[in-house]
Amino acid sequence: NAGVTQTPKFQVLKTGQSMTLQCAQDMNHEYMSWYRQDPGMGLRLIHYSVGAGITDQGEVPNGYNVSRSTTEDFPLRLLSAAPSQTSVYFCASSWDYSSTDTQYFGPGTRLTVL
Amino acid sequence: GENVEQHPSTLSVQEGDSAVIKCTYSDSASNYFPWYKQELGKGPQLIIDIRSNVGEKKDQRIAVTLNKTAKHFSLHITETQPEDSAVYFCAAPGVDSSYKLIFGSGTRLLVRP
């Protein structure tokens, strides 16, 4: 199993540009989520999904959209990038939607918005 | 909502010494407390967790203790080795949904050879 994969690994955007961060998992996990990691602020939840066709907002959802059309994929879309979205983004998945289930993280995408 | 505070933000120890990282949480109903380790350039990985029905759990050189009365839990690493150098995160379930984990701000541990 490849586990949780994320692409791209690095990305530089200009303010106002849009892009999609890709996330895929091959473990048949129901729960998937996106976090952003900023210095001194730990991991903050952006959006999550408890199964295909179901998504919900986390702590910091503004400026981001998600969809879950399949169990395997959970892309994160930035509609109009802003410098405040410069961060490292992690996708995670787990067997079910319980917060007590082990989360498996991808390797991250480092995004810079100029 | 749930608030998880983690201290210290950085910790430097000599190889072989012990390291302790502490976290406090606000929701007395929280029942699950995982610890994640993040190595440089990688995503976080679960290293140990504890549930509220026990006060301590050990796995080789790593242990976690839980004090439900004081609402804090700690990660203990004994006989530290250079490969223990990483960022460590504690977490607790969010109060408004059982689907979410709230993470602490992280502790950067440096083990000096």
Side-chain angles (χ1 to χ4, degrees), chain A residues 52-72:
Chain A
I54 306 170
T55 63
D56 205 348
Q57 297 180 351
E59 302 171 73
V60 288
N62 293 340
Y64 308 95
N65 278 356
V66 292
S67 60
R68 185 94 180 273
S69 56
T70 67
T71 299
E72 295 77 21

Side-chain angles (χ1 to χ4, degrees), chain A residues 6-112:
Chain A
Q6 291 183 240
T7 56
K9 200 167 180 62
F10 301 95
Q11 183 70 49
V12 178
L13 292 178
K14 294 181 180 179
T15 297
Q17 286 185 318
S18 63
M19 79 157 296
T20 300
L21 278 62
Q22 301 292 343
C23 174
Q25 51 90 11
D26 61 358
M27 298 175 282
N28 204 29
H29 286 174
E30 288 295 324
Y31 182 89
M32 297 186 74
S33 54
W34 276 101
Y35 293 86
R36 59 177 289 172
Q37 183 178 25
D38 301 295
M41 301 188 74
L43 295 157
R44 293 184 292 168
L45 184 65
I46 305 172
H47 284 286
Y48 65 96
S49 169
V50 299
I54 306 170
T55 63
D56 205 348
Q57 297 180 351
E59 302 171 73
V60 288
N62 293 340
Y64 308 95
N65 278 356
V66 292
S67 60
R68 185 94 180 273
S69 56
T70 67
T71 299
E72 295 77 21
D73 301 297
F74 191 43
L76 178 72
R77 282 183 289 276
L78 282 71
L79 301 177
S80 179
S84 60
Q85 294 178 304
T86 293
S87 188
V88 181
Y89 291 85
F90 289 100
C91 178
S93 72
S94 59
W95 282 109
D96 65 31
Y97 48 78
S98 168
S99 61
T100 63
D101 197 35
T102 301
Q103 292 202 50
Y104 296 85
F105 284 83
T109 294
R110 184 174 293 275
L111 175 67
T112 301

Side-chain angles (χ1 to χ4, degrees), chain B residues 9-106:
Chain B
S9 58
T10 59
L11 180 59
S12 180
V13 300
Q14 195 71 38
E15 182 177 358
D17 287 349
S18 296
V20 180
I21 303 169
K22 298 181 180 179
C23 286
T24 60
Y25 60 97
S26 57
D27 180 27
S28 57
S30 292
N31 59 359
Y32 174 70
F33 307 94
W35 285 91
Y36 283 79
K37 175 183 180 183
Q38 184 181 22
E39 297 178 343
L40 193 62
K42 297 183 179 180
Q45 184 174 16
L46 180 73
I47 54 172
I48 194 168
D49 56 16
I50 190 169
R51 297 177 191 270
S52 59
N53 57 344
V54 297
E56 184 177 8
K57 182 177 179 181
K58 288 184 180 180
D59 183 3
Q60 299 183 342
R61 297 186 296 107
I62 294 173
V64 56
T65 58
L66 172 64
N67 183 326
K68 289 209 69 179
T69 303
K71 292 191 283 188
H72 68 70
F73 56 109
S74 300
L75 178 71
H76 304 254
I77 306 174
T78 58
E79 301 174 22
T80 53
Q81 301 169 4
E83 52 264 38
D84 294 329
S85 295
V87 179
Y88 293 82
F89 292 97
C90 62
V95 296
D96 54 350
S97 168
S98 65
Y99 308 153
K100 303 174 187 175
L101 271 182
I102 305 299
F103 284 84
S105 55

